[in-house]
Structure formats: C-alpha cells, structure tokens
C-alpha cells in the first residue's frame, strides 16, 4: 500500500520533473476520417469522448460496498468543421447518414455495404464504418499522440443556418456526432 507523506514534506516526485512539463494545447491537433477525407482540412474542433466504468454493488451485512465493474462505456464523439463552398465535406457525412438510415434505393445501400447477399466479392471494404484518428501535436507542432477511433459511424449532423441579416461574414460550420466501438491512445 502506498505511503502518504506528512504535510510540509516535499512530495514532488523527481520522475515527474524529468518528463515533459509543457501543457497540452487545445489548438494542436489534426483529425482524420478515412471515409470523409475533406473533413480533415476544414476541421475546427473535436471533443475527446468520455470513458466510464460501471460499478457493481457488493452487499454485506452492514453496508453496500461499490466495486469496479466489468463494462467500459464510451461517450459520443463530436467533430465540428467549416463547410467548404461546394459543400463536399458536408455531403460526405450527409450521404453516409442517408445511406445508413434511409436509402432511396437498394443500389444506394449496396454501394455503402457491398457485403449484402448476392454481391459478395473478395477484399471488399465495408463502407458502413470508418476508422478515424486525432493526431495530437506537441508545442513544436510534431505528432506526439495518436487517438484512434475504431468502427465509427455518424449519428447526427446538426442543422446549418443561412442568414442574410449578418453584418459580417461568419463562415458556416457543421457539427457531427459519431458513435464508435472503442478508442485507443498511443504515444508516437
């Protein structure tokens, strides 16, 4: 069991001082999404999702004791990007959502998921999901950490408001929420 030092003792660990003491910058990142490559260049923000562990109550004769559970739950992943003039990046996400949830024809869904019965081919990539990654940059703008999100798919695309009453140009942005299987963090 760890020993807690007395107040007034120098509790600063020498190992902590030997590492990188720079703070993490919120503007030092790149986002990449395999299925929607034009989103990367126009990406404005990403929100690293929550990660939680359930608890399991253990009943005793006198009280209930909380124990660590066995299921990790990940929150939704959100990305905000500027919409390009041709709406290419917006349409990449919009068409993906439409093909998943309400395709207008069987061909539209078949293009998204080529593993449908009757059209199985070798080495076909399933377009239902996409992997994505956040590359965290150091204070010198070098890649230092990769956060990989596996099997992402879009849940929602926030509304976009066109407004002629604005006095200054505020470029339109879209916010998209994704669900995914898991994420992993690796030092580069």
């Amino acid at each position: 069991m760890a020993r807690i030092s007395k107040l007034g003792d120098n509790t600063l660990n020498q190992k902590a001082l030997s590492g990188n003491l720079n703070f993490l910058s919120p503007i030092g990142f790149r986002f990449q999404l395999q299925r929607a490559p034009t989103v990367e260049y126009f990406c404005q923000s990403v929100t690293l999702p929550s990660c939680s562990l359930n608890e399991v109550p253990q009943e005793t004769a006198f009280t209930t004791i909380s124990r660590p559970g066995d299921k990790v739950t990940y929150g939704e992943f959100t990305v905000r990007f500027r919409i390009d003039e041709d709406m290419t990046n917006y349409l990449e996400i919009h068409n993906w959502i439409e093909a998943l949830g309400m395709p207008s024809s069987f061909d539209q869904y078949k293009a998204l998921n080529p593993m449908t019965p009757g059209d199985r081919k070798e080495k076909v990539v399933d377009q239902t999901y996409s992997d994505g990654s956040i590359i965290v940059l150091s204070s010198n703008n070098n890649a230092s950490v990769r956060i990989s999100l596996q099997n992402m798919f879009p849940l929602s695309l926030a509304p976009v408001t066109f407004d002629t009453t604005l006095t200054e140009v505020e470029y339109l942005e879209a916010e998209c929420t994704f669900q995914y299987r898991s994420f992993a963090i690796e030092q580069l």
Side-chain angles (χ1 to χ4, degrees):
M1 189 152 73
R3 186 171 161 245
I4 299 174
S5 62
K6 296 178 186 176
L7 289 177
D9 288 352
N10 185 359
T11 59
L12 193 57
N13 188 337
Q14 289 299 322
K15 185 176 180 182
L17 289 177
S18 64
N20 185 351
L21 296 178
N22 294 326
F23 297 117
L24 183 62
S25 171
I27 61 172
F29 75 97
R30 285 191 336 252
F31 174 67
Q32 300 168 332
L33 183 60
Q34 290 176 352
R35 194 173 191 292
T38 59
V39 171
E40 175 183 355
Y41 179 74
F42 296 97
C43 184
Q44 299 296 299
S45 72
V46 296
T47 302
L48 188 61
S50 63
C51 175
S52 61
L53 178 68
N54 68 325
E55 64 177 291
V56 177
Q58 178 184 359
E59 300 294 333
T60 67
F62 303 106
T63 188
T64 302
I65 301 171
S66 293
R67 299 284 185 195
D70 59 352
K71 184 176 181 181
V72 175
T73 305
Y74 298 102
E76 295 173 347
F77 176 73
T78 304
V79 61
R80 186 171 41 87
F81 58 93
R82 291 244 166 108
I83 302 172
D84 65 278
E85 192 172 48
D86 297 329
M87 294 184 72
T88 305
N89 52 8
Y90 181 86
L91 288 171
E92 283 178 336
I93 304 295
H94 175 270
N95 293 343
W96 187 7
I97 291 173
E98 188 176 76
L100 283 172
M102 198 175 92
S104 55
S105 69
F106 288 117
D107 291 334
Q108 186 180 12
Y109 184 75
K110 193 176 358 178
L112 175 71
N113 185 4
M115 297 305 288
T116 53
D119 192 31
R120 299 189 190 278
K121 297 178 182 173
E122 293 297 319
K123 297 185 180 178
V124 174
V125 177
D126 184 359
Q127 295 292 316
T128 304
Y129 303 102
S130 179
D131 290 343
S133 60
I134 303 166
I135 307 298
V136 179
L137 304 176
S138 69
S139 57
N140 295 326
N141 283 334
N142 296 323
S144 62
V145 176
R146 174 183 291 119
I147 303 167
S148 302
L149 297 109
Q150 291 85 28
N151 290 350
M152 298 174 64
F153 62 94
L155 293 176
S156 67
L157 192 56
V160 177
T161 303
F162 292 86
D163 187 354
T164 60
T165 63
L166 296 174
T167 57
E168 294 182 22
V169 176
E170 295 178 20
Y171 296 105
L172 295 177
E173 293 183 347
E175 186 170 283
C176 185
T177 303
F178 290 90
Q179 191 55 267
Y180 53 94
R181 191 187 72 219
S182 65
F183 72 85
I185 302 173
E186 79 176 286
Q187 298 283 335
L188 299 178

